[in-house]
Amino acid sequence: MDNTNSSSTFSVSVLLLRILTLLFLLIALIIIAISEYTEITYFGTTKRKFDHVQAYRYMFSTIVVGFAYNLLQLAFSIFTMVSRKRALSGDGGYLFDFYGDKIMSYLLLSGSAAGFGFSAELLRVVPSNPFLEKANASAGLLLVGFIFNAIASIFTSFALPKKPN
Amino acid sequence: MDNTNSSSTFSVSVLLLRILTLLFLLIALIIIAISEYTEITYFGTTKRKFDHVQAYRYMFSTIVVGFAYNLLQLAFSIFTMVSRKRALSGDGGYLFDFYGDKIMSYLLLSGSAAGFGFSAELLRVVPSNPFLEKANASAGLLLVGFIFNAIASIFTSFALPKKPN
């Protein structure tokens, strides 16, 4: 097999997966950030945002961290393609990709599952609540973002340097 | 480095991680299975179990599937150690370990996060509720089980056969 060809297919696939992850995380971020509900208190009504629910606050954090990581990786990928050498040279770069993708995919999944865990149950009690539905949509988009990140993680696992065994 | 020695360190480490995962999943399973709460209805009181909450039902399923998978892997490991040859020969066995551990660790994490996502919020509304606390403890043990499975997944990633690149 042609080394250069296979290696550039790998780079392009991972680059594409990063862009797709970023895209879905961005939409998930916008939806959760704009969602709000009205709380009726003794003193009148108050607008509340997602940060009043612990699960959604955690979900929001995972989206932000996952977005920052994938943006950094995208910058590295573009640098590699333009300069034709890896931003992180040696085995270190492959290990960074492997552990980075592994940890980030776990993080994104946990955010999505926490969001679903809360809203799935609440939507049974208060069905067709616009706030919960928006939060649920955001968790769904985050799940798609996770899937792309998890596929990137499979790629970067196969690119691991061999340990002596 | 001595090949046989390093390879048997690998096998023993993975075997130990499987046993630890199984142990924590078993305790998590018992705790969620015995937890119950009393619902007061018009007709009297009814005992309800975890399966009345979607997030906990999902959590329970992930524990059962994760337990079955790790038990199968444990059997394979013991077979390998006793017969001194892998149960699944060739690259197939390494790929099965890699994808198996990857998918199972994602599954276990999603179960734990869904459980936490629901009970973390509910415990703010009804603090020191024994049912929610038990479910939370189960989610915590499941998280520990996930961590051991994730470490096993790192081991089986490094054992991957190299693809031509």
Side-chain angles (χ1 to χ4, degrees):
Chain A
M1 194 185 272
D2 184 354
N3 256 11
T4 327
N5 239 347
S6 165
S7 162
S8 91
T9 311
F10 169 83
S11 303
V12 172
S13 308
V14 173
L15 186 73
L16 203 70
L17 288 165
R18 303 252 180 253
I19 294 170
L20 284 167
T21 309
L22 282 169
L23 188 72
F24 278 89
L25 292 188
L26 185 66
I27 310 172
L29 192 70
I30 294 170
I31 292 180
I32 192 69
I34 61 166
S35 65
E36 55 181 22
Y37 64 99
T38 311
E39 200 175 76
I40 300 158
T41 64
Y42 185 75
F43 307 100
T45 58
T46 327
K47 290 268 179 208
R48 297 283 194 205
K49 295 190 79 69
F50 71 91
D51 59 322
H52 267 253
V53 180
Q54 275 195 321
Y56 297 156
R57 207 160 52 208
Y58 177 70
M59 191 169 90
F60 181 81
S61 317
T62 64
I63 300 176
V64 171
V65 175
F67 190 85
Y69 168 79
N70 276 284
L71 204 62
L72 179 75
Q73 280 282 16
L74 185 70
F76 280 163
S77 297
I78 292 169
F79 175 86
T80 305
M81 285 192 152
V82 172
S83 71
R84 284 160 181 273
K85 63 175 189 219
R86 288 179 62 90
L88 296 169
S89 59
D91 284 355
Y94 293 103
L95 288 174
F96 175 77
D97 289 353
F98 169 67
Y99 285 110
D101 284 335
K102 199 166 183 63
I103 293 168
M104 281 305 142
S105 60
Y106 284 139
L107 193 77
L108 295 179
L109 178 63
S110 68
S112 175
F116 273 127
F118 178 72
S119 41
E121 190 62 28
L122 268 275
L123 274 170
R124 289 169 72 190
V125 187
V126 274
S128 62
N129 173 298
F131 173 69
L132 290 175
E133 277 175 352
K134 268 186 204 146
N136 228 5
S138 180
L141 290 159
L142 176 54
L143 190 67
V144 179
F146 150 73
I147 292 168
F148 288 124
N149 205 143
I151 300 171
S153 167
I154 293 174
F155 275 90
T156 52
S157 298
F158 276 104
L160 271 179
K162 281 315 265 186
K163 276 206 172 160
N165 67 334
Chain B
M1 195 185 270
D2 184 353
N3 255 12
T4 326
N5 239 348
S6 164
S7 161
S8 90
T9 310
F10 169 84
S11 304
V12 171
S13 309
V14 173
L15 186 74
L16 202 69
L17 288 165
R18 303 251 179 253
I19 293 171
L20 285 167
T21 309
L22 281 169
L23 189 71
F24 278 90
L25 292 188
L26 185 66
I27 311 174
L29 192 70
I30 293 171
I31 292 179
I32 191 70
I34 62 167
S35 65
E36 54 182 22
Y37 64 100
T38 311
E39 200 176 76
I40 300 158
T41 64
Y42 184 75
F43 307 100
T45 58
T46 327
K47 291 266 178 211
R48 297 283 195 205
K49 296 191 78 70
F50 72 91
D51 58 323
H52 267 254
V53 180
Q54 275 195 320
Y56 297 155
R57 207 160 53 210
Y58 176 70
M59 192 169 89
F60 181 81
S61 317
T62 65
I63 300 175
V64 171
V65 175
F67 191 85
Y69 168 79
N70 277 285
L71 204 63
L72 180 76
Q73 281 283 18
L74 185 71
F76 279 163
S77 297
I78 291 169
F79 175 86
T80 304
M81 285 194 152
V82 172
S83 72
R84 287 162 179 273
K85 65 176 189 220
R86 287 178 62 88
L88 295 169
S89 59
D91 285 355
Y94 293 103
L95 289 173
F96 175 77
D97 289 354
F98 168 68
Y99 285 110
D101 284 333
K102 199 165 184 63
I103 293 167
M104 281 304 142
S105 59
Y106 284 139
L107 193 77
L108 295 179
L109 178 64
S110 67
S112 176
F116 274 127
F118 178 72
S119 41
E121 190 61 30
L122 268 275
L123 274 171
R124 288 168 72 190
V125 187
V126 273
S128 61
N129 174 297
F131 173 69
L132 290 175
E133 277 175 351
K134 268 186 204 144
N136 227 5
S138 180
L141 289 160
L142 176 53
L143 190 66
V144 179
F146 150 73
I147 291 169
F148 288 124
N149 206 143
I151 300 172
S153 168
I154 293 174
F155 274 89
T156 52
S157 298
F158 277 104
L160 270 179
K162 282 317 265 184
K163 277 207 170 158
N165 65 335

